[in-house]
C-alpha cells in the first residue's frame, strides 16, 4: 500500500513538474525604456514584400510588440504566450515538439514554423492561407487549440494593466486598445526578426567568418544541383506550394483548404532552410526528428502522391538520389545556414 502511494505521489510530482517546465512562465519586465529600431535589407536579399507604409516601424511599436509576444495574458487562461510555441532559442520554432500544444494541452496538427524573414513572405502558415503579414497573428489568438481568446477580452485585460494604454497611445495615438493595434504591434516585432548573418551569408557577401571548408563547399555545389529548384537562395524558398512526397495520400489537405482545387491537395509551402539546426522536427507535421531522416526521405522515401512535384519524379525513380557521402556534404552545407547572431539577439528575447 505504502509503495503504491509513493508511486502515485511520484507520478503526480512528475506530471506537475512536466507542465511547470513546459509552460515556463515568463515573468515580464514592463519597463518602458526603448531602443532604436531600424529595418535593414541585407545586401544579399531581394526587396521585402511587406509594405511598412501601412504600419510604420517605431521604437514604441516594436517594444509593444515584444511585450505582447511574450505576454501570457493573450491566452484565455493566461497559460501561454506566443513565445511558448515560438522560442527564440529555436529561431522562434517549437524545438522538439512535432505539433504545437495550445491552452489546456490541446494538440494541434501542425509544426510551429520558425519566425524570421517574414517581411519577405508572400503567404503565411504552411498552406499560405493568410496573405497579409498584419493578419498572421490573428489565427493564433482566436484558434481554440492555440490561445483560445477573443480580442474584446484581450483589449479589456490589457487596458487594465497600467503600461499598456500608455504604450498604445504612444505607438498608435490612441489609448483605447483595438485589435488592429495589437496585430500591428506584433507585426512590428516580427518584421524585425531578420536572419541574414549565417556563415553562408558571410560567404556570399565575402565577409570575415565566411570561409567554407571543403565539405561545406562541396555540399553547397550538391545543394545547388539537387535542392535549389525549390529551396531558392537567398531565402531558401521559391515561395511556392508543392508536394514533396511525404505520403501516398495526404491527410492534411494543405493548400487545397484555401484553393479548393484537387491538384492542390497535400501541397505545402516550400519552407526556408535557414536555422534548420535549431528548428527540429521537420515538415508541416514535424514527422522527421533529424536532418538525416529528411535526406533519407529525399533519397529513398518519396511516395507517389498524385500531386507529387514533377521535380521529384523527373528521373527514372522517385526522389533525388543521394549517396551517404553526398548526404553528409549537404548536411555540412545546411549547417552553415545557422545564424547565431539572430538566435542570441537580446532585442528579441523575453523582455
Ligand atoms: C499553441 C502554439 C502556438 C502559439 C501559442 C502561437 N503560435 Fe504561431 N504558429 C503555430 C503553428 C502550429 C503555426 C503553423 C500553423 C499552420 O500552418 O496552420 C504558427 C504559425 C505562425 C505564423 C506564420 C509563420 C509563417 O512562416 O507562415 C506566425 C506569423 C505566427 N504563428 C505568429 C504567432 C504570434 C504572433 C503568436 C502570439 C499571438 C503565436 N504565433 C502564437 C503555433 C503557435
Ligand atoms: C520539389 C521541390 C523540392 C525539392 C527539389 C526539395 N525540397 Fe525540401 N521541401 C519541399 C517542400 C514542399 C517542403 C515542405 C513539405 C511539407 O512539410 O509538407 C520541404 C521541406 C524540407 C525540409 C523541412 C524544413 C522544415 O522547416 O521543416 C528540409 C530540411 C528540406 N526540405 C531539405 C531539402 C533538401 C536538402 C533538398 C535537396 C536534397 C530538398 N529539400 C529538395 C520542396 C522541395
Amino acid at each position: 500500500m505504502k509503495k503504491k502511494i509513493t508511486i502515485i505521489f511520484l507520478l503526480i510530482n512528475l506530471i506537475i513538474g512536466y507542465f511547470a517546465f513546459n509552460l515556463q512562465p515568463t515573468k515580464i519586465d514592463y519597463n518602458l525604456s526603448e531602443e532604436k529600431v531600424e529595418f535593414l535589407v541585407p545586401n544579399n536579399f531581394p526587396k521585402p514584400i511587406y509594405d511598412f507604409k501601412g504600419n510604420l516601424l517605431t521604437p514604441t511599436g516594436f517594444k509593444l510588440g515584444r511585450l505582447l509576444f511574450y505576454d501570457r495574458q493573450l491566452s484565455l487562461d493566461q497559460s501561454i504566450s506566443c513565445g511558448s510555441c515560438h522560442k527564440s532559442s529555436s529561431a522562434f520554432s517549437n524545438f522538439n515538439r512535432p505539433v504545437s500544444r495550445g491552452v489546456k494541452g490541446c494538440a494541434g496538427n501542425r509544426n510551429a514554423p520558425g519566425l524570421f524573414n517574414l517581411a519577405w513572405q508572400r503567404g503565411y502558415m504552411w498552406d499560405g492561407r493568410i496573405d497579409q503579414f498584419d493578419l498572421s497573428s490573428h489565427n493564433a489568438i482566436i484558434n481554440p487549440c492555440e490561445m483560445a481568446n477573443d480580442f474584446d477580452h484581450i483589449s479589456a485585460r490589457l487596458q487594465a494593466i497600467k503600461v499598456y494604454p500608455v504604450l498604445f497611445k504612444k505607438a498608435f495615438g490612441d489609448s483605447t486598445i483595438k485589435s488592429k493595434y495589437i496585430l500591428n504591434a506584433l507585426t512590428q516585432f516580427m518584421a524585425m526578426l531578420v536572419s541574414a548573418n549565417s556563415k553562408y551569408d558571410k560567404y556570399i557577401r565575402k565577409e570575415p567568418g565566411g570561409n567554407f571548408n571543403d565539405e561545406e563547399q562541396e555540399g553547397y555545389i550538391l545543394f545547388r544541383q539537387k535542392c535549389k529548384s525549390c529551396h531558392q537562395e537567398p531565402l531558401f524558398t521559391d515561395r511556392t506550394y508543392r508536394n514533396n512526397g511525404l505520403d501516398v495520400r495526404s491527410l492534411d489537405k494543405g493548400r487545397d483548404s484555401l484553393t479548393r482545387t484537387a491538384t492542390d491537395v497535400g501541397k505545402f509551402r516550400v519552407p526556408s532552410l535557414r536555422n534548420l539546426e535549431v528548428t527540429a522536427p521537420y515538415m508541416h507535421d514535424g514527422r522527421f526528428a533529424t536532418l538525416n531522416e529528411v535526406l533519407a526521405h529525399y533519397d529513398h522515401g518519396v511516395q507517389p502522391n498524385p500531386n507529387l512535384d514533377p521535380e521529384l519524379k523527373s528521373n527514372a525513380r522517385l526522389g533525388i538520389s543521394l549517396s551517404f557521402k553526398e548526404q553528409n556534404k549537404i548536411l555540412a552545407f545546411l549547417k552553415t545556414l545557422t545564424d547565431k547572431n539572430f538566435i542570441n539577439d537580446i532585442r528579441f528575447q523575453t523582455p
Side-chain angles (χ1 to χ4, degrees):
M1 189 65 187
K2 239 187 181 164
K3 220 173 170 184
K4 245 189 191 161
I5 292 175
T6 321
I7 290 174
I8 291 172
F9 181 73
L10 274 175
L11 269 176
I12 291 173
N13 265 311
L14 261 174
I15 293 168
I16 293 174
Y18 174 81
F19 279 103
F21 178 76
N22 270 277
L23 294 175
Q24 288 177 345
T26 40
K27 271 223 177 73
I28 291 195
D29 175 6
Y30 291 109
N31 93 60
L32 293 176
S33 66
E34 289 166 3
E35 51 228 293
K36 204 177 124 209
V37 293
E38 206 179 348
F39 180 84
L40 296 171
V41 178
N43 285 342
N44 56 324
F45 272 35
K47 252 183 69 179
I49 288 184
Y50 182 64
D51 184 357
F52 288 88
K53 281 194 208 109
N55 183 19
L56 284 182
L57 195 61
T58 61
T60 318
F62 172 80
K63 166 93 193 179
L64 189 52
R66 180 176 171 192
L67 286 173
L68 293 170
F69 192 87
Y70 287 104
D71 202 332
R72 287 181 291 144
Q73 319 256 8
L74 261 58
S75 60
L76 184 64
D77 59 3
Q78 311 190 31
S79 63
I80 56 171
S81 71
C82 311
S84 309
C85 296
H86 299 286
K87 296 192 163 72
S88 61
S89 54
S90 316
F92 296 92
S93 71
N94 204 349
F95 192 73
N96 247 339
R97 180 152 283 178
V99 293
S100 66
R101 195 171 298 160
V103 294
K104 303 202 176 78
C106 181
N109 55 359
R110 295 213 179 133
N111 180 251
L115 305 178
F116 48 82
N117 304 341
L118 292 168
W120 281 267
Q121 252 170 244
R122 284 215 174 88
Y124 297 87
M125 309 298 156
W126 279 99
D127 47 16
R129 64 185 182 276
I130 296 172
D131 63 357
Q132 289 174 53
F133 192 4
D134 291 328
L135 298 180
S136 62
S137 329
H138 190 269
N139 169 70
I141 293 172
I142 60 161
N143 190 325
C145 202
E146 292 186 21
M147 299 175 121
N149 215 336
D150 70 68
F151 279 95
D152 288 343
H153 194 209
I154 295 177
S155 301
R157 210 183 254 172
L158 299 182
Q159 203 81 51
I161 302 171
K162 250 198 204 143
V163 297
Y164 276 123
V166 178
L167 284 172
F168 276 97
K169 169 91 183 163
K170 202 168 165 203
F172 302 108
D174 189 351
S175 54
T176 308
I177 299 169
K178 301 200 172 98
S179 60
K180 184 178 157 64
Y181 307 150
I182 296 175
L183 295 176
N184 282 6
L186 284 167
T187 304
Q188 290 196 27
F189 174 69
M190 292 192 291
M192 284 295 290
L193 304 176
V194 176
S195 178
N197 262 322
S198 63
K199 187 175 192 180
Y200 158 84
D201 294 293
K202 291 173 186 162
Y203 168 86
I204 294 291
R205 296 194 298 251
K206 302 192 168 59
E207 288 168 7
N211 290 333
F212 277 176
N213 62 31
D214 290 348
E215 205 182 20
E216 291 163 346
Q217 183 69 49
E218 286 163 35
Y220 184 33
I221 293 167
L222 285 166
F223 176 85
R224 292 177 62 94
Q225 286 162 3
K226 308 204 180 227
C227 318
K228 110 174 173 162
S229 52
C230 300
H231 297 284
Q232 250 172 45
E233 298 167 67
L235 300 168
F236 290 86
T237 167
D238 65 351
R239 300 184 273 199
T240 61
Y241 302 86
R242 303 182 189 236
N243 179 287
N244 69 346
L246 295 177
D247 301 292
V248 179
R249 273 189 63 238
S250 310
L251 290 177
D252 185 330
K253 289 189 177 294
R255 188 75 179 152
D256 165 75
S257 331
L258 176 82
T259 60
R260 305 268 169 228
T261 310
T263 50
D264 277 342
V265 175
K267 285 190 184 166
F268 292 89
R269 57 110 167 269
V270 175
S272 168
L273 302 181
R274 288 175 173 273
N275 299 308
L276 280 176
E277 246 183 309
V278 296
T279 62
Y282 307 103
M283 303 298 164
H284 69 272
D285 53 4
R287 67 176 61 197
F288 297 132
T290 64
L291 288 171
N292 294 312
E293 286 173 50
V294 172
L295 293 172
H297 162 74
Y298 282 113
D299 176 56
H300 56 259
V302 171
Q303 303 297 310
N305 186 289
N307 293 328
L308 178 63
D309 200 88
E311 295 273 346
L312 295 171
K313 51 182 172 189
S314 56
N315 299 318
R317 73 205 243 320
L318 296 184
I320 304 169
S321 74
L322 293 165
S323 69
F324 263 128
K325 268 199 181 138
E326 290 175 325
Q327 293 186 29
N328 284 335
K329 288 174 182 170
I330 291 185
L331 212 54
F333 168 69
L334 292 176
K335 289 184 180 169
T336 71
L337 298 174
T338 307
D339 180 354
K340 295 211 176 82
N341 290 5
F342 167 66
I343 293 162
N344 298 322
D345 194 325
I346 52 165
R347 295 172 303 166
F348 308 145
Q349 318 289 327
T350 313

